[in-house]
Amino acid sequence: MPRRSGSALTPEQIHAELSKLICDFASELEKGDLRQKVRALVPAFIKLRQLGASLVPDKSTASASERIITYMCKYSFKVIDGDELMVVAGIDDWARCVRKLRVEQGWRIYTGLTIKQMTDDDPLAADEFHTININPVTIKKEQYVLLSNEQDRDSAHRWHMLNTIRKKKASVKEKILEYLRTNVGRQITGDEMKYLAKDKSDWPRQVRSLRTEEGWPIATKNTGRSDLPVGVYVLEEDRQAEPHDRAIKDDVRVEVLKRDGFSCTKCGWNHAVASVSDPRKRLELHHVVAHKDKGSNEVDNLTTLCNVCHVKAHRSA
């Protein structure tokens, strides 16, 4: 049976000891002194924590943090209550352990609050979470979801960078843009964005504004990068789109990409075949009738091209 590290007791043995403590406490209820009752119940509380911690297999019970992440990995992409993590951690300070797992160790753990902020007024972001059966409307702020069973080894370095940018006297949008431009091509989590914004709830709107109004190529799973995990952002290149391309609405962009199979309509390239040595890095929308010739930003006047074919198209125009 599973045993807690450093202890010879099985969950069954701990349960037996806990049961005896509870039975013995019955006599304390007949006594009048409140403090005596409270103090008599302390051993039962301690034993109950030991029981919760003992449920996680031996190899992962060296620390509360390891018990928490072992439990979350077993139920990744599932909504987990904070009370569950409290039980398997076996300590009061379990929330600090969760933060350590996110910040120092790079585990992609999202809180319900972060998910709600990401998806409020953004149907595309909400759709991403619906694809993994998470409802952003019903999830509670104090619940958690592990969105990847793999650690992000660069996370600690990025969080140090986050702290530096976070302290600057600048707007939320300016901080987000600086952070993205410092991490071009890297996957940035919504949790990082939330922290950078000092927990101001409008940070997702600022990200959308950078993409749709200012033309920065910030990609998500539902805006053309189906290869990306749910809940991450990537600045694909450190440059803004041409002014006339910035007015293309998100829903139009997604409809065009879906229609074209998320592939270049000229050469067939897509993110599934991307490689480091290939100059083709991203998909862009191209106007069939040029904007200068009064071509519209509607679906029927747009086609999907890779960045290489897009440049060729403009050169031959």
Side-chain angles (χ1 to χ4, degrees):
M1 298 299 295
R3 299 172 185 268
R4 187 179 177 187
S5 180
S7 171
L9 298 180
T10 66
E12 290 78 12
Q13 290 170 324
I14 297 174
H15 176 262
E17 292 184 357
L18 176 62
S19 297
K20 184 177 185 304
L21 287 170
I22 295 296
C23 288
D24 292 346
F25 183 72
S27 62
E28 297 294 334
L29 293 175
E30 300 175 359
K31 301 176 182 179
D33 186 77
L34 173 61
R35 190 175 185 202
Q36 184 175 340
K37 292 178 183 178
V38 171
R39 296 180 70 177
L41 199 55
V42 169
F45 270 82
I46 294 174
K47 193 60 65 177
L48 183 60
R49 289 177 181 171
Q50 291 176 354
L51 179 58
S54 72
L55 298 177
V56 182
D58 253 352
K59 62 182 180 180
S60 306
T61 56
S63 70
S65 293
E66 289 178 336
R67 291 192 291 275
I68 287 172
I69 197 58
T70 297
Y71 185 74
M72 296 197 78
C73 283
K74 184 174 178 62
Y75 301 104
S76 56
F77 300 98
K78 303 290 185 183
V79 177
I80 295 176
D81 291 327
D83 287 345
E84 295 176 65
L85 302 183
M86 175 184 67
V87 168
V88 298
I91 61 172
D92 287 333
D93 204 10
W94 61 270
R96 181 185 61 81
C97 293
V98 175
R99 184 182 184 280
K100 180 180 179 181
L101 288 166
R102 288 194 347 254
V103 176
E104 297 180 19
Q105 298 183 24
W107 290 100
R108 194 169 291 160
I109 301 171
Y110 279 47
T111 65
L113 176 60
T114 298
I115 292 173
K116 282 183 177 294
Q117 288 183 348
M118 289 180 67
T119 56
D120 280 350
D121 303 318
D122 189 348
L124 293 180
D127 286 346
E128 288 189 27
F129 285 96
H130 280 298
T131 63
I132 54 174
N133 298 316
I134 294 174
N135 189 339
V137 175
T138 59
I139 193 171
K140 298 177 181 178
K141 295 179 180 179
E142 63 274 12
Q143 292 178 318
Y144 299 82
V145 181
L146 178 65
L147 292 181
S148 174
N149 278 29
E150 296 183 2
Q151 288 177 272
D152 180 352
R153 300 295 181 181
D154 293 329
S155 177
H157 170 70
R158 290 206 312 275
W159 279 89
H160 176 74
M161 187 189 308
L162 266 174
N163 274 315
T164 301
I165 297 175
R166 190 174 189 257
K167 295 174 183 176
K168 292 186 176 182
K169 293 182 178 179
S171 68
V172 169
K173 182 186 288 188
E174 289 170 334
K175 292 176 182 178
I176 289 174
L177 181 57
E178 180 178 351
Y179 187 59
L180 287 169
R181 294 182 73 183
T182 307
N183 291 282
V184 175
R186 296 191 181 98
Q187 295 183 17
I188 304 301
T189 69
D191 206 42
E192 291 172 74
M193 297 290 203
K194 176 176 175 290
Y195 179 78
L196 189 63
K198 294 186 177 180
D199 294 333
K200 291 183 179 178
S201 61
D202 70 336
W203 65 265
R205 182 175 61 80
Q206 303 295 352
V207 176
R208 291 197 302 277
S209 175
L210 287 167
R211 182 178 68 246
T212 61
E213 297 174 19
E214 300 186 24
W216 291 98
I218 303 170
T220 64
K221 185 177 184 65
N222 272 10
T223 60
R225 287 289 302 274
S226 57
D227 59 305
L228 291 177
V230 171
V232 304
Y233 303 83
V234 173
L235 179 63
E236 296 184 303
E237 188 178 13
D238 192 11
R239 70 173 181 86
Q240 291 174 274
E242 295 297 326
H244 62 268
D245 285 336
R246 300 177 194 174
I248 300 174
K249 297 179 180 178
D250 267 355
D251 57 344
V252 171
R253 185 181 305 277
V254 173
E255 186 174 347
V256 174
L257 289 165
K258 286 182 177 179
R259 181 199 65 197
D260 296 338
F262 293 94
S263 300
C264 177
T265 55
K266 290 291 185 183
C267 69
W269 182 89
N270 58 47
H271 287 285
V273 297
S275 66
V276 175
S277 59
D278 195 331
R280 296 171 295 183
K281 301 296 183 186
R282 64 195 171 278
L283 295 173
E284 301 173 343
L285 298 192
H286 175 65
H287 290 82
V288 178
V289 177
H291 194 271
K292 63 181 178 63
D293 297 326
K294 299 185 178 179
S296 73
N297 287 327
E298 301 303 321
V299 172
D300 58 2
N301 189 50
L302 294 167
T303 188
T304 305
L305 297 178
C306 69
N307 55 294
V308 173
C309 289
H310 200 183
V311 170
K312 290 179 180 178
H314 279 286
R315 284 176 179 171
S316 62

